[in-house]
Amino acid sequence: MPPETTFYMILAFAAYLGLLGAYVGSLFWRRASLKRDSEALREMQAELERKP
Amino acid sequence: MKSLTWLNIAAAALLATSLALVWFAAPLEASMGAVQKIFYFHVAAAWVGMVGFLITFVVGIIYLIRPNPKLDWLGAATAEVGLLLSIITTVTGSIWARPAWNTWWTWDVRLTTYTIAILIYVGYLFLRGAIEDPTRRARFAAVYGVVGFISVPLTFLSIRLWQSIHPAVIGTATPTSQGGFDMAPIMALIVILAQVTTVLVFAALTATRYRLLELQDQVDAQRALALQAESDLPSHSPATASVAK
């Protein structure tokens, strides 16, 4: 009869998916942040070009 | 749809399939019980993470010979994803060790050398974050990635060179290593699937991170242009500014 270690299995998979999910989330967050920066810089550039 | 999106979808689908097979199809291992199931991903994350560091090492050498920002982005992406997989390996290994070794952590030679390798690659990311100039950052990171790689073969060979309680998955015949795995055919099949899944997840995350570094470079160029345009305006010229003071 194998020992009862289901709790540790659940904990290990939660850690695995949690760490992976956190990293994927950080990629999304960094992408959104870069897109926002790019958009702001484009607007700033356009405004500077409009100035005489 | 773009190829990167397809790669991400394929990686997510294969990960879901592998997880389902590990949970519902893989048999219970006799001596460890259910917790052994994390090994399918623990082992895969360990060696794929090390492959990530190996790529950082190789592209670091190529960069030093023939500098190219694309090589720098690839080195940074593989180091970051390799670090993530190494942290996953350590955390899942620690959780497995609690019922198997009756402790969360022990300063065993494999665990110690692996922790040192992780800290070295955390340092790599800190180094990249601390240098503003992209060319200088890339050169320093390439050198660091080459020198820091020494920790990887040391970690791999540690259980063969010294006495360790960590099981040897590859080369179990080594007299100083302990443990090893005998698997049922279905277990062996799921092990292979978990390895393929982890390779695909690594490729998807690396490609996504690479794309972000490329995007970061474009934003930095845009910022430089905007600053240049602003300084070219008469009202913002240094001379005007000094007069205004």
Side-chain angles (χ1 to χ4, degrees):
Chain A
M1 186 78 177
E4 178 47 53
T5 54
T6 311
F7 167 74
Y8 293 102
M9 181 197 78
I10 295 168
L11 194 64
F13 276 105
Y16 175 77
L17 292 173
L19 285 164
L20 208 57
Y23 185 71
V24 170
S26 90
L27 288 178
F28 273 110
W29 181 79
R30 284 184 275 186
R31 184 174 175 272
S33 175
L34 280 171
K35 293 264 178 197
R36 207 170 40 240
D37 282 1
S38 176
E39 195 52 46
L41 285 165
R42 200 172 294 129
E43 277 172 24
M44 193 177 149
Q45 185 86 19
E47 204 167 301
L48 286 169
E49 278 166 13
R50 273 200 300 272
K51 283 188 179 175
Chain B
M1 222 186 288
K2 281 188 240 169
S3 53
L4 180 59
T5 313
W6 280 114
L7 181 64
N8 285 328
I9 290 170
L14 199 60
L15 180 62
T17 310
S18 298
L19 284 170
L21 282 171
V22 166
W23 287 333
F24 305 116
L28 270 190
E29 198 272 338
S31 62
M32 289 183 266
V35 75
Q36 177 272 340
K37 291 189 176 201
I38 198 60
F39 264 32
Y40 294 102
F41 293 100
H42 170 82
V43 175
W47 78 260
V48 177
M50 286 191 178
V51 168
F53 298 147
L54 175 67
I55 298 171
T56 306
F57 168 75
V58 172
V59 296
I61 291 173
I62 302 171
Y63 181 89
L64 292 172
I65 298 164
R66 210 176 279 252
N68 181 341
K70 287 181 179 179
L71 290 170
D72 176 51
W73 302 335
L74 182 62
T78 50
E80 197 176 294
V81 180
L83 180 63
L84 168 77
L85 292 175
S86 301
I87 291 170
I88 284 175
T89 307
T90 309
V91 173
T92 55
S94 173
I95 295 168
W96 169 84
R98 182 68 187 92
W101 295 343
N102 203 29
T103 181
W104 295 101
W105 186 263
T106 174
W107 290 105
D108 171 75
V109 66
R110 165 56 68 86
L111 277 63
T112 306
T113 50
Y114 206 55
T115 305
I116 292 168
I118 286 175
L119 291 175
I120 284 172
Y121 284 93
V122 168
Y124 174 90
L125 296 185
F126 272 112
L127 177 78
R128 292 192 67 88
I131 304 172
E132 201 123 321
D133 176 46
T135 314
R136 207 161 157 255
R137 178 176 57 218
R139 199 169 58 243
F140 273 68
V143 172
Y144 192 106
V146 170
V147 176
F149 183 72
I150 191 105
S151 62
V152 176
L154 190 69
T155 302
F156 180 76
L157 294 171
S158 60
I159 54 175
R160 288 152 185 89
L161 296 173
W162 299 286
Q163 194 73 33
S164 171
I165 57 168
H166 192 282
V169 181
I170 303 161
T172 50
T174 312
T176 52
S177 66
Q178 294 185 14
F181 300 101
D182 286 323
M183 283 179 275
I186 179 75
M187 283 175 126
L189 193 73
I190 299 172
V191 163
I192 293 166
L193 186 69
Q195 314 295 313
V196 174
T197 302
T198 310
V199 169
L200 203 64
V201 167
F202 171 80
L205 291 177
T206 301
T208 308
R209 184 68 187 106
Y210 178 92
R211 178 75 194 99
L212 283 187
L213 286 161
E214 206 175 22
L215 197 63
Q216 174 76 62
D217 188 62
Q218 287 165 9
V219 170
D220 287 346
Q222 252 183 304
R223 189 173 288 125
L225 269 176
L227 284 171
Q228 181 65 44
E230 196 182 31
S231 65
D232 286 348
L233 283 177
S235 58
H236 286 82
S237 66
T240 319
S242 64
V243 168
K245 271 181 199 167

